[in-house]
Amino acid sequence: MHQQKRQPELVEGNLSVFVSPTELIFYADDQSTHKQVLTLYNPYEFALKFKVLCTTPNKYVVVDAAGAVKPQCCVDIVIRHRDVRSCHYGVIDKFRLQVSEQSQRKALGRKEVVATLLPSAKEQQKEEEEKRIKEHLTESLFFEQSFQPENRAVSSEPSLLTVFLGVVCIAALMLPTMGDVESLVPLYLHLSVNQKLVAAYILGLITMAILRT
């Protein structure tokens, strides 16, 4: 007598859940980011049903918070941020996706996705750029100082690159600040306070490097 092949019993909580992306970033000043899409993948040979939970459901609207995914298919889950007040800046919320077989209630797998609201995409990019500049300059000075002792007997003068960077930083500090209406310098040469702080920080590192030569 032919016996039907049975699917092996799945253990609760052990099933891998595949979701992309695993982090959602909303920007208050960019309305296009207030709607994000989570994609849930089902690479298995059986159908899955899913449910989306959130630590702060009053701040979000989840379209189709529960549903099913066919075998070897995917489904998009739309998440809208509906409360972009400044008091929520930097707060990390969490979404949990639970999946199970359609014929069972127990959750076979879970996946958490973090969500963060930031004030501005431009400010975030500027901070990251300034951080990269500081890290790059620190590394450059570190390597320059590491190899310099061998050359001190030949020459103790600072390198042309160090002098050039120092001149650029001094020129940047002498340029007018944004908002200075009385200046005769063109507006595109007006620097922000953050840019001048970076220039002052770089000039300080260069000064320390020159004094050590």
Side-chain angles (χ1 to χ4, degrees), residues 154-184:
V154 179
S155 175
S156 60
E157 297 180 358
S159 66
L160 292 177
L161 176 61
T162 304
V163 174
F164 176 75
L165 286 175
V167 172
V168 171
C169 291
I170 293 174
L173 292 174
M174 294 177 64
L175 290 174
T177 308
M178 286 184 178
D180 190 356
V181 182
E182 299 179 357
S183 175
L184 299 177

Side-chain angles (χ1 to χ4, degrees), residues 37-80:
V37 178
L38 282 178
T39 303
L40 174 63
Y41 300 90
N42 179 13
Y44 304 106
E45 299 293 336
F46 51 90
L48 293 174
K49 62 179 181 181
F50 68 89
K51 185 176 183 180
V52 182
L53 305 174
C54 182
T55 54
T56 52
N58 58 313
K59 291 165 58 176
Y60 301 92
V61 175
V62 182
V63 180
D64 297 329
V69 193
K70 297 179 180 179
Q72 299 182 349
C73 292
C74 63
V75 63
D76 289 335
I77 304 168
V78 178
I79 298 178
R80 291 190 178 92

Side-chain angles (χ1 to χ4, degrees), residues 62-208:
V62 182
V63 180
D64 297 329
V69 193
K70 297 179 180 179
Q72 299 182 349
C73 292
C74 63
V75 63
D76 289 335
I77 304 168
V78 178
I79 298 178
R80 291 190 178 92
H81 203 306
R82 61 180 181 182
D83 191 352
V84 293
R85 291 178 296 171
S86 59
C87 59
H88 298 312
Y89 292 170
V91 178
I92 298 177
D93 302 320
K94 291 183 178 180
F95 291 91
R96 173 178 289 181
L97 282 81
Q98 294 185 172
V99 299
S100 59
E101 283 190 281
Q102 287 187 327
S103 59
Q104 298 182 8
R105 291 186 177 180
K106 65 179 181 180
L108 297 177
R110 301 176 180 86
K111 185 73 172 182
E112 287 191 349
V113 176
V114 297
T116 310
L117 175 66
L118 298 178
S120 173
K122 295 181 180 179
E123 290 183 6
Q124 182 72 8
Q125 293 174 357
K126 184 184 296 183
E127 291 177 1
E128 292 177 355
E129 183 65 24
E130 292 175 356
K131 184 178 179 181
R132 283 196 294 268
I133 293 175
K134 291 180 181 179
E135 291 177 350
H136 178 70
L137 183 63
T138 303
E139 292 176 358
S140 299
L141 292 177
F142 172 78
F143 284 115
E144 183 178 347
Q145 294 171 10
S146 299
F147 290 103
Q148 197 167 359
E150 299 179 0
N151 301 326
R152 282 184 179 176
V154 179
S155 175
S156 60
E157 297 180 358
S159 66
L160 292 177
L161 176 61
T162 304
V163 174
F164 176 75
L165 286 175
V167 172
V168 171
C169 291
I170 293 174
L173 292 174
M174 294 177 64
L175 290 174
T177 308
M178 286 184 178
D180 190 356
V181 182
E182 299 179 357
S183 175
L184 299 177
V185 180
L187 289 177
Y188 65 86
L189 291 177
H190 289 210
L191 301 182
S192 66
V193 176
N194 288 336
Q195 290 172 328
K196 287 199 171 186
L197 288 175
V198 173
Y201 176 81
I202 294 174
L203 184 60
L205 293 178
I206 294 174
T207 304
M208 291 177 59

